[in-house]
Amino acid sequence: MTPTSMETVTEAPEGAPPSTYAMRRSAALARLRASGTLIGFAALIVVFGILRPELFLKTGNFFNILEQVAVLAIVASLQTVVMIVGDFDLSVGTLASLVGVVTATLLHGGMPVIPAILIGLAVGVAAGVLNGFLVAYVGLSAFIATLATMTAFGGLALLIANGTTIFGLPESFVAIGQDKLGPIAIPVIIAVVVAALVWFITTKTTAGRRWYALGGNAEAARLSGVRVRRSRLYAFVLCAVGASVAGIVLSARLASAHPSAGDPMMLTSIAAVFLGMTMVRTGQANLLGTLVGIGILGVLQNGLNMLHVNDYVQQVLTGAIIVVAVAMSRIGKSRT
């Protein structure tokens, strides 16, 4: 005999019908999963605050953390756009290095600051168009296309800089990376402006809605009228612009340009986006989550440095965080 709905209710745990119980349990697990990243962020602050209260909890240290993660925030905010679409860009680190080297070379040759920066940004736009064209129109996977351009951009940076660090940049350029407005460093202000623009574009414009539609189901987006190829191309161009701005700010902050200075940002920017993806039930990339991910990486690095943990261990921990973040993101997607 097939059980009726009333008979099913009698099998539920005491005090709640099974459907309601299951829904509450599922909702509680979803809230816990979404809050896990924030809880981890808060736990890091508490742990380092207990271990090094005389240094870590000072206001100046939190401004220092913001300054340390500002360049990464610029890259990761735009990396978020590409990952909303469902792709990723492995070339952001070497592109940042290349743009920094190109800009520094022009400045070193006597070109004024503004034209040199604009040419550097133009190089970044061209790189983004190349990445987007290879992925959206040629049909290469984002991994293959951006892995190839990552290698090419790194080689170009070494070639232009002749494998050496470029010093002697003008003070008006260095001020972009080292001056402050009150207690806030200019790179932090630039990162906030970039993040605000990304938030506006991804949440308040038609382009942003199309990117989310594309990342959710590319075929459905195409059938609904979204120009898939063009949207993916624009996403890669924006990502490249972010890497270019980061490369310029990084060179100004360091008062020099090294052909591999921006390379580590590739891994950490993707890690930050993956950490943020664990904060939403759909497992999609989102700017707020990315900013929390950047905060986690920044606090972790700052705290470990205060505890005199060497760089090798920090790299191991960063890798472990990426694995956990990706796994949690996958779990979140599989349950939606």
Side-chain angles (χ1 to χ4, degrees):
M1 180 178 176
T2 303
T4 65
S5 57
M6 184 63 71
E7 288 170 338
T8 303
V9 170
T10 59
E11 297 174 4
E14 186 176 354
S19 58
T20 304
Y21 173 77
M23 290 175 62
R24 288 178 178 174
R25 183 184 176 195
S26 176
L29 288 174
R31 283 196 296 271
L32 179 61
R33 188 169 57 248
S35 305
T37 305
L38 277 175
I39 293 172
F41 185 30
L44 281 176
I45 294 175
V46 171
V47 169
F48 289 129
I50 293 172
L51 294 176
R52 295 304 299 271
E54 74 282 6
L55 293 176
F56 184 81
L57 294 179
K58 286 189 173 180
T59 304
N61 185 50
F62 287 106
F63 280 111
N64 184 41
I65 292 173
L66 288 176
E67 192 171 343
Q68 286 177 344
V69 301
V71 177
L72 173 61
I74 296 170
V75 178
S77 295
L78 276 304
Q79 180 78 263
T80 303
V81 174
V82 171
M83 294 181 71
I84 286 173
V85 176
D87 296 314
F88 52 84
D89 190 344
L90 298 178
S91 68
V92 290
T94 54
L95 178 58
S97 302
L98 173 61
V99 171
V101 165
V102 168
T103 306
T105 301
L106 294 173
L107 292 170
H108 203 257
M111 183 176 285
V113 172
I114 299 298
I117 289 176
L118 291 177
I119 291 175
L121 292 175
V123 170
V125 171
V129 170
L130 176 62
N131 281 336
F133 178 77
L134 291 174
V135 174
Y137 289 91
V138 178
L140 298 182
S141 73
F143 177 81
I144 297 297
T146 59
L147 181 64
T149 55
M150 177 187 75
T151 307
F153 297 157
L156 277 174
L158 287 166
L159 193 64
I160 293 171
N162 199 25
T164 61
T165 302
I166 302 171
F167 293 102
L169 304 182
E171 291 185 3
S172 56
F173 176 76
V174 174
I176 297 172
Q178 297 187 359
D179 277 7
K180 294 184 177 181
L181 288 178
I184 304 175
I186 288 179
V188 176
I189 296 173
I190 294 174
V192 170
V193 171
V194 169
L197 287 174
V198 172
W199 173 82
F200 179 80
I201 293 172
T202 55
T203 62
K204 303 296 181 183
T205 67
T206 303
R209 288 190 287 273
R210 287 174 177 167
W211 284 331
Y212 274 108
L214 183 56
N217 188 321
E219 183 61 18
R222 186 185 68 80
L223 293 174
S224 64
V226 175
R227 295 182 177 179
V228 173
R229 289 179 174 178
R230 184 181 296 183
S231 294
R232 293 178 81 183
L233 174 66
Y234 289 163
F236 275 100
V237 171
L238 269 182
C239 185
V241 170
S244 304
V245 172
I248 291 169
V249 174
L250 180 62
S251 297
R253 185 165 185 259
L254 300 175
S256 62
H258 189 276
S260 62
D263 295 5
M265 289 192 289
M266 180 272 287
L267 185 63
T268 48
S269 66
I270 293 176
V273 180
F274 271 125
L275 281 168
M277 290 166 67
T278 64
M279 293 181 60
V280 294
R281 188 174 183 179
T282 58
Q284 278 190 309
N286 63 96
L287 180 66
L288 178 60
T290 297
L291 295 178
V292 173
I294 292 167
I296 289 175
L297 295 174
V299 167
L300 185 66
Q301 183 183 27
N302 181 266
L304 292 177
N305 284 336
M306 287 184 176
L307 296 175
H308 304 296
V309 177
N310 69 46
D311 291 341
Y312 304 134
V313 175
Q314 293 187 30
Q315 290 179 18
V316 172
L317 289 173
T318 302
I321 287 173
I322 293 172
V323 171
V324 172
V326 173
M328 292 178 67
S329 176
R330 289 290 183 186
I331 292 171
K333 280 187 174 181
S334 67
R335 293 186 177 182
T336 57

